[in-house]
Amino acid sequence: MKIFSSWGNKPKRICIKVLAIVFWLLVWEAVFRYVGREILIVSPVRAAARLLELGGTAVFWRAVLGTCLRVLEGFGLAIFAGSILAVITHRFVFLKHLFQPFLGILRATPVASLIILALVWMATGTIPIFVVFLMVTPIVWTNIFAGLEVIDVGLLEMGRIFKFGRWKRLRYIYMPSLMPYIVSALTSGLGAAWKSAIAAEVIARPTGAMGAFVHDARVHLLTADLFAWTAAVIILSVVLEKLMIRLLRFTGNRLAGKKKKATGT
C-alpha cells in the first residue's frame, strides 16, 4: 500500500506526465522513420525547430494574437449568453421548452455547415467569433442549468431566514454551489472554442489568423509548417485552459473563504 500511495506526490505525478509525453514523441519519431517521407510527416525535432523559427517572426505573433482575441471574444459572449439562458430557462419552465429545440439544433449541426452558412452572412474576420459563440453557448447553458437544478433548497431557505439580499445569495449560496458546474462548462467550452475557431479560420481564412496559415501550409505542402502551426494551436489551448483553471480555483477558494467567514466557521 505504501508503494502505491507514494505515487500520489506531486514530483512523481510530474515525472509520469513527462514520461508519457516522451513516449508519444518516440512513437511519432518511429512513425516518421517508418514512413520516411517528409511531405507526409516530419520528425518531432523538425517540427519543433520550425516552430521556433516561426516564433521569431512578427507575423507569427500577430496571428497568435488575432486568433486568441477571436477565441476569447466568442468565448466571452457565449459565457454571457449561456449563463443568461440557463437562469431564465430554470426560472421559467415555458422558456425551457421554447429554447430546447434551438439547443438541440445547435448540438446536431456540424461545425463545417455553420462556417459555410456564416460565409454567406458575414465578413471572414467575424466568422470564428460567431462559430465559437454558437458552439460554446449550449455547453455553458447545459452545465449552468444542471447546477441550478441541484442547489440545496435548505441553503436558499437559510438565506431567506437571514434576509440575504440578491448579492449575498449569489456570493454565498449560488456561486459556491455552481462552481463545479462552471469549471466543467468553461473547460469543456474552451476546448470546443479552440477547435471551432481554428476550423472556421481554416475555411474562412481571415487575415492574420493561425487557421489561415494552417490552410496555406496544407495547400503548399509545407508539412513542417503544418505541424508547427498545429503544435502552436495545441500549446496555446493547453496554456489558456491551465490559466483558466487556476483562476477558477483561486476564485472558488476566495468564495469558500468568504463563505466560512460569513457563517462564522
Side-chain angles (χ1 to χ4, degrees):
M1 291 297 293
K2 289 182 179 180
I3 295 175
F4 288 105
S5 63
S6 65
W7 284 80
N9 60 63
K10 189 173 181 180
K12 288 193 176 181
R13 289 201 302 271
I14 294 172
C15 182
I16 292 169
K17 290 180 180 179
V18 170
L19 289 174
I21 293 170
V22 171
F23 170 79
W24 287 111
L25 288 174
L26 290 174
V27 171
W28 179 359
E29 178 68 22
V31 172
F32 163 71
R33 290 180 180 275
Y34 177 78
V35 174
R37 297 178 64 187
E38 282 206 354
I39 198 170
L40 297 177
I41 184 172
V42 297
S43 70
V45 174
R46 176 72 179 107
R50 184 55 184 151
L51 179 58
L52 290 175
E53 290 175 13
L54 291 171
T57 64
V59 173
F60 175 84
W61 291 108
R62 280 197 295 269
V64 168
L65 179 60
T67 296
C68 285
L69 288 176
R70 291 184 189 95
V71 169
L72 293 176
E73 187 173 348
F75 190 60
L77 290 171
I79 292 170
F80 177 77
S83 300
I84 294 298
L85 284 170
V87 171
I88 63 173
T89 52
H90 178 262
R91 178 68 179 82
F92 304 104
V93 178
F94 77 94
L95 288 178
K96 174 186 173 183
H97 294 297
L98 179 65
F99 281 105
Q100 267 185 337
F102 176 65
L103 178 62
I105 290 169
L106 283 182
R107 284 175 168 172
T109 305
V111 179
S113 297
L114 286 174
I115 297 168
I116 293 168
L117 286 171
L119 282 169
V120 180
W121 299 333
M122 57 189 65
T124 56
T126 57
I127 290 173
I129 300 169
F130 175 72
V131 172
V132 168
F133 171 75
L134 289 183
M135 289 293 101
V136 177
T137 297
I139 297 173
V140 176
W141 181 0
T142 303
N143 279 275
I144 302 299
F145 183 87
L148 289 170
E149 288 283 278
V150 298
I151 286 181
D152 190 345
V153 179
L155 290 176
L156 296 174
E157 184 62 29
M158 181 194 72
R160 281 191 288 270
I161 292 171
F162 287 97
K163 298 181 180 178
F164 278 15
R166 290 183 179 179
W167 171 243
K168 276 193 171 183
R169 287 201 303 271
L170 176 65
R171 188 171 186 177
Y172 299 125
I173 298 174
Y174 282 100
M175 286 304 295
S177 301
L178 287 173
M179 190 54 66
Y181 297 91
I182 293 172
V183 171
S184 176
L186 298 190
T187 51
S188 301
L190 188 58
W194 271 98
K195 291 175 185 177
S196 55
I198 296 301
E201 289 181 349
V202 168
I203 296 174
R205 297 183 61 204
T207 304
M210 298 178 76
F213 284 103
V214 170
H215 174 274
D216 292 342
R218 183 191 65 83
V219 169
H220 299 292
L221 298 179
L222 302 173
T223 311
D225 282 35
L226 180 60
F227 274 83
W229 281 107
T230 303
V233 170
I234 294 170
I235 291 167
L236 280 170
S237 177
V238 171
V239 168
L240 284 178
E241 183 179 331
K242 295 294 183 185
L243 288 173
M244 187 179 63
I245 289 172
R246 285 181 178 272
L247 178 61
L248 290 170
R249 189 177 297 163
F250 172 77
T251 304
N253 290 337
R254 288 294 299 271
L255 286 171
K258 294 287 185 181
K259 184 181 179 183
K260 288 179 181 178
K261 187 176 179 181
T263 55
T265 56

